[in-house]
Amino acid sequence: MLPSVISFMILIGIILTVLDEDAISHIIGNESGVKGVILAIIVGSIAAIPSFIAFPLGGSLLEAGAGYAQIAALVSTLMTIGIVSMPMEIQYFNSKIAWSRLIYSLIISIIFTIIIGVVM
Amino acid sequence: MDLIKKYKFSIVFLILLILLYITNNDLGKTATIITINNIKEMLLLVPPIFITMELLEVWIPKEMLIKYMGNGAKFTGILIAFTLGTVAAGPIYVAFPMGQLLLKKGARLMYVIFFLAVWSSTKFIIILTELASLGVKFTVVQVAVFLPFSLLMSYLIEKSVNEEELNIIVNK
């Protein structure tokens, strides 16, 4: 367990520094449209920001003018997709389960994003 | 040599961190501080969780877990998986060893996958944060979409994993 935990911690340190709140606000800011949604999904899948920070961040991005759909894509992938924690998931379960969970979570996040885009 | 192999990712990321520090002093410093803080947080979080797991291991008889979360459990299995996932605190990587332990104790794979999904998407404390930051409508839609689809995902993943693959995980 220790090797994967240490690499995971260093990776999160690097990612959180490079993809900080300012960078995220910039990427999915005003009028980013479908491109913004796709970028939000990519950022949300890679970044490892804890949920209790992700939601307030989403709230402040909304106030800054981001769209509900982009925020939905960002927070849902932040919550359910963790590319950096995949090595640990594979270690405890297996690669089939880890990859299936990633793909299904991505599909569910997209469905959620579309519904939010329609109803909000 | 084995040691290097085991820690290959740690070494690669450590080199990345050093490169970041050389090219951009400030970013490198911030990344190092975040890394150290995360390791500290984990060191505080992991012991209580492992103690809880040890207690579960000793206190909860296998027969009981099989009865309520095993193959024939149906609704109680879903309910317990949901409860375990929603009351939890902490990042998802803490849930992996717990999920594995449940499997070893005879829980059905579908319920364990659902437990992981609830842990990441419908944790009670997180839902409160979501309500406060993004509003009632957003939160209701999120829960209404993620719960049923997560259950469907758990069922589909369980169907795709055969007995042999499951045995490898249980015997890890």
Side-chain angles (χ1 to χ4, degrees), chain B residues 88-125:
Chain B
I92 185 72
Y93 61 86
V94 176
F96 296 147
M98 287 182 75
Q100 194 198 39
L101 179 72
L102 289 174
L103 271 185
K104 287 184 176 188
K105 281 255 175 184
R108 189 176 155 182
L109 181 60
M110 177 181 167
Y111 304 145
V112 172
I113 305 277
F114 186 57
F115 157 74
L116 294 179
V118 171
W119 183 298
S120 56
S121 68
T122 36
K123 221 182 293 165
F124 184 70
I125 300 171

Side-chain angles (χ1 to χ4, degrees), chain A residues 1-3 5-14 16-18 51-52 55-56 58-59 62 68 71-72 75-76 79-80 85 88-94 96-97 100-101 104-105 108-109 111-112 115-116 119-120, chain B residues 6-7 9-10 13-14 16-17 27 30-31 34-35 38-39 42 50 92-93 96-97 99-100 103 109 112-113 116-117 120-121 126 129-130 133-134 137-138 141-142 145-146 149-150 153 156-157 160-161 165 169 172:
Chain A
M1 187 186 167
L2 198 61
V5 168
I6 291 179
S7 51
F8 179 72
M9 292 300 165
I10 302 174
L11 187 61
I12 289 183
I14 295 173
L16 279 184
T17 308
V18 180
S51 308
F52 61 88
F55 285 120
L62 267 183
Y68 270 104
I71 298 305
V75 295
S76 58
M79 280 193 293
T80 58
S85 62
M88 291 177 83
E89 187 168 354
I90 291 170
Q91 198 191 329
Y92 280 106
F93 295 93
N94 63 32
K96 187 197 257 182
I97 291 177
S100 306
R101 265 179 23 87
Y104 284 121
S105 300
I108 301 172
S109 297
I111 293 171
F112 170 59
I115 294 176
I116 285 292
V119 300
M120 299 296 285
Chain B
K6 235 174 150 180
Y7 283 90
F9 285 118
S10 307
F13 292 140
L14 198 61
L16 257 175
L17 191 64
L27 279 187
T30 316
I34 294 175
T35 302
N38 279 338
I39 290 175
M42 188 210 61
F50 275 82
I92 185 72
Y93 61 86
F96 296 147
Q100 194 198 39
L103 271 185
L109 181 60
V112 172
I113 305 277
L116 294 179
S120 56
S121 68
I126 299 303
T129 323
E130 186 177 1
S133 322
L134 298 171
K137 200 170 171 187
F138 190 96
V141 174
Q142 193 256 316
V145 170
F146 272 87
F149 277 108
S150 296
M153 164 179 87
L156 292 175
I157 291 178
S160 75
V161 175
E165 292 165 325
I169 301 171
K172 262 181 189 173

